[in-house]
Amino acid sequence: RRTILKLRRERRTYREISQRTGVAHSTVGRIVKQAGLNRLSHLDPAVTLHMNLSEALAECRRAAREGYRVANNSLEGIRVTTEEALKDLKKTIADMDTKKVQITDVTKQIQEQLQHVVSELNSLYEKSYASLEEKRAKLDEFSITLFGRTMAGKSTLMEILTNGDGSSIGKGGQRTTRDIRHYSWKGKGLRVTDVPGIAAFEGAEDEEVAFKAAEQSDLVLFLITDDAPQPAEVECLARVRSLAKPVLGICNVKESLDDADDINLFLRDKWFDPQRLGALIRQFHEFTKKHTSDSQIPFIYTHLQSKFLSRKPKYKSQRRKLERTSRFDLVENQITSEVIGRGSFLRWKNFIDGATVPMLQFSDCLLDFSAKNSSNGRVLIDKRRRVASWAEQFQSNGQDVIDTFISKQMNFLRNEIPAFVEENYDKTDAGYRWKHLIESQNIEQKAKQLAEKLQGECKRKLLDIEQEVASELNLVGKLFDDRRISMDSIFDTKRAWNWVTNILSQGLAIASFFTGGAAMVASVAVSLFGRFLSRWIEDRESKARKQREELERQLQGDVDKKEKTLRKKFGDWFRQDLLKKQVYVLLEKLDAVNSIVLKLADTQRNFAWLLIKEQKHLHRILINRAFSQIGYEHGENIISNIARLPDQPLIILIEPDTAFPENIHRKLEELLGQEIRFAINTHNPMSILAQTIGCDEGKIRIESGIRIAHVPIDDLDAVSISRSKLAQQLTELHVMR
């Protein structure tokens, strides 16, 4: 007992005392209460140690007005930031509209995402302002919200607090509370809100109603029962804590008292088994670690039904025993102590967190999108490099194949000329025979087959590129629903690369080109032999030799000319129609898409850091207010930086060789309801990252140009990943795998 009271006088919390002494939390509370040390004020002890509830609520009202002013100024800063962001976004959209290379599907999707960012930036301000104004309408009330799964005892607790007749208490498994109900407790200025139960069958809408009410509250009472913890309870608690709400846990023992015999047995037996209930709470805390930090909320054990029954005339003779056995006085005293001890700070903090939490969610989402768009950009850069390398090789090899083909065909014709001349120089239909000879070689068909082969190779490569890009891109989908940002994907595997297919489907004028070429060879031959035919009737013997020589010379010249024409046309087709109009267009489009994607990533990243800067400003205001509240004037001077998440330990960055007073450390934790950890400002981002996350500094890689830090968090748990976000605030580097 002496140890417990000594620790309490040192301003230790019940949880700390219980952990240090091994004494049950409830026993600690009873001893502390008997000694009159159950209330520890976070205001100046000389002024407020004996402050009553009425005075505390008056202080809460003053704090609420100040909190509203600070939050309103912050929202004005968000509005200015939003306007600047919108200008940059609109400029990006305008730049995309003026792009010469049209990429209809991809451009449209990126523009849609940018429009979503514009919309969400506007919505961020509007929703935050609306929430602030809703709180402004309740400046004079300290708000407590009852939260818990269906049939945990919320309605019973409400009936106790309001001296109700029990009409709202549920029977069996039905969802009793379907709407929000507000009640005054202990006079004007203290409002208790009962919300729909969580984890009920088909109760998703009820849960959203409950969470919206929790957003407005200053303190959340989270009820569980003494049966096995439910996963849905843990998940909902994590969501409540993500709203930066202080939470007081209440474990309601569900031993039923249906008749007088049950009550008599209940009063004789000891329902309060510290060992069993302690094990239950430890199990509950183990489950919560999967969703939030390892800092634990305090729990009070009670039996709500016995407290409720004690007020009924029927049990007047057993009232004192029922009240004592219920241990409800601990619940009531703890709630009152919270209001008196730190109510004004919680009231003020509620307004600040109302501004920071939406910014935190939105900035995280923007950084995630930015990182994925940067990753997409790197994929596209690598793909563009590979396509360019392939195109260079394809051009060289393709040109060699074309040259070899034409040389082979033309050399065959040249080799046929002497025999053809000798056999046909005296024939009147020599021209038609030559035409038949050319046609028999199927040069046109062979050329078409070669062109189709080259085109097919090109098509297969472009299709391979399409499939590779679709599989390699880190596709951006709808990451968040409801109140979070919702963006359409940048790349759609069914649409985004249609322009590749469109390029291929345009086709090539192979048939018409080669038909024209072959016809020209034949027409030249016919015209040529028409001139020879006019001489045929002259002296055959004297002119035969000259005719053969002249015929051979002209046929050789004709084939040379045809080879030159064929090489030029085939080469032009290959370079202009196949390479320039398809492969090089693909390269240009990859460049254009990549430029837009990287611009989008930069835009999102810049907006995120603007919001994070505003968050850090509010964190600084919060910690300075806390220092002022506990009477520590030098706190601001020894802090280099602060990182804060609603459901994680607060990280304070201090200079080397700086001592942070232990008593101030404890007071801050109790006031904030958050564990506080320290990191040394080594002025080395890698060192700060390693300290905050708990990883090997040598495994961290920083890309300074785009302010990204890659850390080995693949094998770490969800808490460690959340710590990376704290490190992100301290270093202003986007921390990712």
Side-chain angles (χ1 to χ4, degrees):
R1 184 177 184 278
R2 285 195 300 270
T3 302
I4 289 171
L5 295 181
K6 178 178 179 296
L7 291 172
R8 185 58 175 172
R9 289 189 182 96
E10 293 177 358
R11 306 183 70 82
R12 303 286 184 173
T13 64
Y14 290 178
R15 176 170 60 85
E16 288 178 315
I17 297 171
S18 179
Q19 290 174 345
R20 289 195 177 204
T21 63
V23 177
H25 188 282
S26 57
T27 303
V28 170
R30 183 172 66 255
I31 293 172
V32 168
K33 179 187 174 185
Q34 290 171 352
L37 297 175
N38 57 311
R39 295 178 180 177
L40 286 180
S41 174
H42 298 280
L43 301 173
D44 185 348
V47 177
T48 63
L49 183 59
H50 301 291
M51 179 185 286
N52 61 34
L53 184 59
S54 177
E55 292 170 328
L57 290 173
E59 182 66 27
C60 288
R61 288 191 286 272
R62 288 190 290 271
R65 282 162 172 76
E66 183 181 349
Y68 171 80
R69 180 182 58 79
V70 174
N72 192 48
N73 290 340
S74 175
L75 284 180
E76 179 61 22
I78 294 176
R79 185 187 64 80
V80 174
T81 300
T82 300
E83 288 180 353
E84 292 299 318
L86 291 177
K87 290 179 183 178
D88 201 355
L89 278 170
K90 290 175 180 176
K91 183 178 183 301
T92 302
I93 295 173
D95 290 343
M96 291 172 58
D97 288 335
T98 60
K99 287 288 182 183
K100 299 299 182 182
V101 180
Q102 295 300 317
I103 318 167
T104 306
D105 293 323
V106 177
T107 304
K108 181 180 178 182
Q109 291 174 63
I110 296 176
Q111 284 179 323
E112 288 174 355
Q113 183 178 138
L114 283 171
Q115 293 289 1
H116 275 296
V117 175
V118 171
S119 174
E120 289 295 334
L121 281 170
N122 279 321
S123 179
L124 171 66
Y125 174 77
E126 292 171 358
K127 289 180 179 179
S128 298
Y129 185 77
S131 177
L132 178 63
E133 289 305 301
E134 188 175 349
K135 291 176 182 176
R136 184 185 185 185
K138 304 166 186 173
L139 283 175
D140 294 336
E141 296 178 319
F142 186 95
S143 175
I144 300 174
T145 299
L146 307 184
F147 220 91
R149 64 183 171 93
T150 302
M151 301 307 296
K154 292 188 294 77
S155 297
T156 303
L157 176 57
M158 181 63 79
E159 292 287 342
I160 295 170
L161 296 177
T162 60
N163 293 314
D165 60 4
S167 59
S168 67
I169 299 176
K171 304 294 183 182
Q174 71 268 31
R175 289 144 65 193
T176 303
T177 304
R178 301 297 300 277
D179 300 307
I180 295 177
R181 300 182 297 174
H182 305 288
Y183 300 91
S184 292
W185 181 51
K186 290 185 177 294
K188 185 178 179 181
L190 192 58
R191 180 168 59 99
V192 181
T193 301
D194 190 14
V195 300
I198 60 175
F201 181 68
E202 296 183 347
E205 293 182 5
D206 290 352
E207 289 187 5
E208 292 307 314
V209 171
F211 284 118
K212 183 167 180 57
E215 289 178 2
Q216 295 290 319
S217 65
D218 300 302
L219 176 66
V220 173
L221 302 183
F222 196 89
L223 274 71
I224 65 171
T225 59
D226 62 335
D227 50 10
Q230 302 296 316
E233 287 181 311
V234 174
E235 293 171 5
C236 288
L237 175 60
R239 185 172 173 185
V240 169
R241 296 186 70 182
S242 72
L243 299 173
K245 298 300 175 183
V247 181
L248 176 61
I250 298 176
C251 180
N252 178 29
V253 175
K254 298 284 285 184
E255 186 166 341
S256 180
L257 306 180
D258 294 330
D259 52 39
D261 291 339
D262 289 342
I263 293 176
N264 291 329
L265 288 173
F266 174 76
L267 294 175
R268 287 199 299 268
D269 295 337
K270 291 186 176 181
W271 65 266
F272 176 63
D273 181 354
Q275 187 173 3
R276 181 182 76 85
L277 295 175
L280 172 73
I281 297 304
R282 286 193 294 273
Q283 183 184 14
F284 185 84
H285 285 151
E286 284 298 317
F287 286 172
T288 61
K289 288 182 181 180
K290 299 178 181 179
H291 300 275
T292 185
S293 72
D294 51 7
S295 60
Q296 302 172 354
I297 66 171
F299 270 93
I300 306 171
Y301 308 108
T302 185
H303 187 273
L304 292 177
Q305 189 182 11
S306 59
K307 174 62 178 177
F308 174 74
L309 293 177
S310 71
R311 296 185 175 182
K312 289 194 171 186
K314 180 179 179 180
Y315 304 106
K316 183 177 180 179
S317 62
Q318 298 168 300
R319 176 172 300 168
R320 287 176 176 257
K321 289 184 178 180
L322 286 169
E323 286 182 344
R324 185 175 61 254
T325 306
S326 72
R327 298 169 55 87
F328 187 77
D329 59 329
L330 296 177
V331 176
E332 191 169 21
N333 290 339
Q334 187 63 38
I335 297 173
T336 305
S337 296
E338 287 287 325
V339 178
I340 294 177
R342 59 175 182 154
S344 62
F345 181 78
L346 294 180
R347 202 71 186 94
W348 181 87
K349 176 176 172 289
N350 189 5
F351 286 91
I352 305 304
D353 288 335
T356 57
V357 170
M359 280 193 289
L360 174 66
Q361 293 174 340
F362 189 63
S363 59
D364 281 349
C365 185
L366 282 175
L367 285 176
D368 287 340
F369 271 93
S370 173
K372 291 185 178 181
N373 288 333
S374 295
S375 177
N376 284 335
R378 288 192 290 271
V379 169
L380 290 170
I381 289 173
D382 181 66
K383 190 58 58 183
R384 201 269 183 205
R385 178 183 57 79
R386 295 183 187 181
V387 173
S389 177
W390 168 82
E392 182 179 355
Q393 188 65 38
F394 179 70
Q395 179 176 1
S396 175
N397 293 342
Q399 193 61 59
D400 288 345
V401 170
I402 291 172
D403 290 343
T404 300
F405 168 78
I406 294 176
S407 296
K408 180 179 179 181
Q409 301 304 316
M410 295 302 105
N411 287 339
F412 173 80
L413 291 178
R414 289 190 182 95
N415 292 333
E416 288 294 313
I417 287 176
F420 180 85
V421 169
E422 189 64 35
E423 183 178 350
N424 294 283
Y425 78 92
D426 58 347
K427 300 290 193 301
T428 57
D429 60 349
Y432 295 101
R433 290 172 180 266
W434 178 250
K435 177 182 177 182
H436 178 72
L437 174 63
I438 293 175
E439 291 177 347
S440 68
Q441 299 309 307
N442 292 320
I443 296 176
E444 174 184 337
Q445 186 63 31
K446 292 175 182 177
K448 287 175 61 178
Q449 291 174 353
L450 175 59
E452 289 171 354
K453 179 181 178 182
L454 292 172
Q455 183 181 358
E457 182 180 345
C458 180
K459 180 176 181 179
R460 284 191 298 273
K461 183 62 179 180
L462 296 184
L463 288 175
D464 287 344
I465 293 168
E466 173 188 358
Q467 294 172 359
E468 289 172 9
V469 171
S471 62
E472 291 176 16
L473 282 179
N474 189 5
L475 302 180
V476 179
K478 291 185 177 180
L479 299 185
F480 296 95
D481 295 319
D482 190 31
R483 296 179 65 253
R484 301 183 185 183
I485 186 171
S486 175
M487 298 181 179
D488 289 340
S489 61
I490 294 181
F491 290 98
D492 186 325
T493 55
K494 293 182 178 179
R495 297 196 300 153
W497 298 95
N498 282 349
W499 40 276
V500 175
T501 307
N502 291 338
I503 290 173
L504 298 173
S505 64
Q506 291 173 0
L508 302 170
I510 300 172
S512 60
F513 160 61
F514 285 110
T515 299
M520 185 164 61
V521 172
S523 64
V524 169
V526 171
S527 174
L528 181 66
F529 280 98
R531 292 196 299 272
F532 287 136
L533 190 60
S534 64
R535 301 175 186 175
W536 205 259
I537 58 175
E538 298 180 8
D539 186 5
R540 294 178 60 185
E541 293 296 333
S542 62
K543 296 181 180 180
R545 182 177 56 82
K546 292 181 178 181
Q547 287 175 344
R548 285 195 293 269
E549 291 175 355
E550 180 66 14
L551 176 58
E552 185 173 352
R553 184 185 66 78
Q554 291 193 35
L555 287 178
Q556 289 286 1
D558 187 62
V559 172
D560 291 342
K561 182 178 179 181
K562 179 51 56 187
E563 180 178 7
K564 181 179 179 181
T565 301
L566 190 57
R567 286 186 185 280
K568 183 179 184 307
K569 289 194 173 185
F570 211 151
D572 289 347
W573 167 83
F574 180 67
R575 289 185 295 274
Q576 297 296 324
D577 291 355
L578 190 60
L579 292 175
K580 184 176 180 179
K581 293 183 180 180
Q582 296 187 60
V583 177
Y584 297 153
V585 167
L586 172 60
L587 291 173
E588 291 176 3
K589 290 180 182 291
L590 287 172
D591 287 337
V593 174
N594 186 54
S595 174
I596 293 170
V597 168
L598 293 180
K599 172 63 176 175
L600 177 59
D602 289 341
T603 301
Q604 291 167 327
R605 188 183 303 111
N606 292 337
F607 295 163
W609 290 120
L610 286 173
L611 292 175
I612 290 173
K613 181 179 179 181
E614 183 64 26
Q615 292 172 48
K616 293 176 70 173
H617 173 65
L618 290 174
H619 295 337
R620 176 69 72 168
I621 292 176
L622 178 71
I623 200 70
N624 289 342
R625 169 81 181 204
F627 282 137
S628 175
Q629 191 92 0
I630 62 177
Y632 186 61
E633 299 178 355
H634 307 292
E636 183 177 358
N637 299 327
I638 64 175
I639 291 179
S640 300
N641 206 342
I642 304 167
R644 178 174 176 257
L645 292 175
D647 56 347
Q648 292 294 319
L650 184 144
I651 305 295
I652 294 180
L653 193 66
I654 58 177
E655 294 298 321
D657 302 321
T658 299
F660 196 93
E662 179 61 26
N663 64 322
I664 299 301
H665 181 190
R666 293 196 303 270
K667 290 179 181 180
L668 276 179
E669 286 189 328
E670 192 171 356
L671 178 61
L672 293 169
Q674 244 179 321
E675 182 183 350
I676 296 177
R677 296 176 182 173
F678 297 93
I680 304 301
N681 187 12
T682 60
H683 301 278
N684 180 346
M686 287 190 178
S687 171
I688 296 173
L689 287 169
Q691 291 181 68
T692 309
I693 300 173
C695 63
D696 185 353
E697 184 177 335
K699 296 182 179 180
I700 299 173
R701 180 172 60 87
I702 295 178
E703 295 182 75
S704 301
I706 56 177
R707 296 165 68 183
I708 289 179
H710 298 277
V711 300
I713 57 178
D714 291 312
D715 299 329
L716 301 183
D717 57 20
V719 173
S720 298
I721 294 174
S722 295
R723 288 176 188 165
S724 69
K725 294 184 179 181
L726 293 169
Q728 191 166 271
Q729 294 182 25
L730 293 176
T731 61
E732 295 189 1
L733 295 169
H734 184 197
V735 179
M736 55 188 299
R737 288 181 176 84

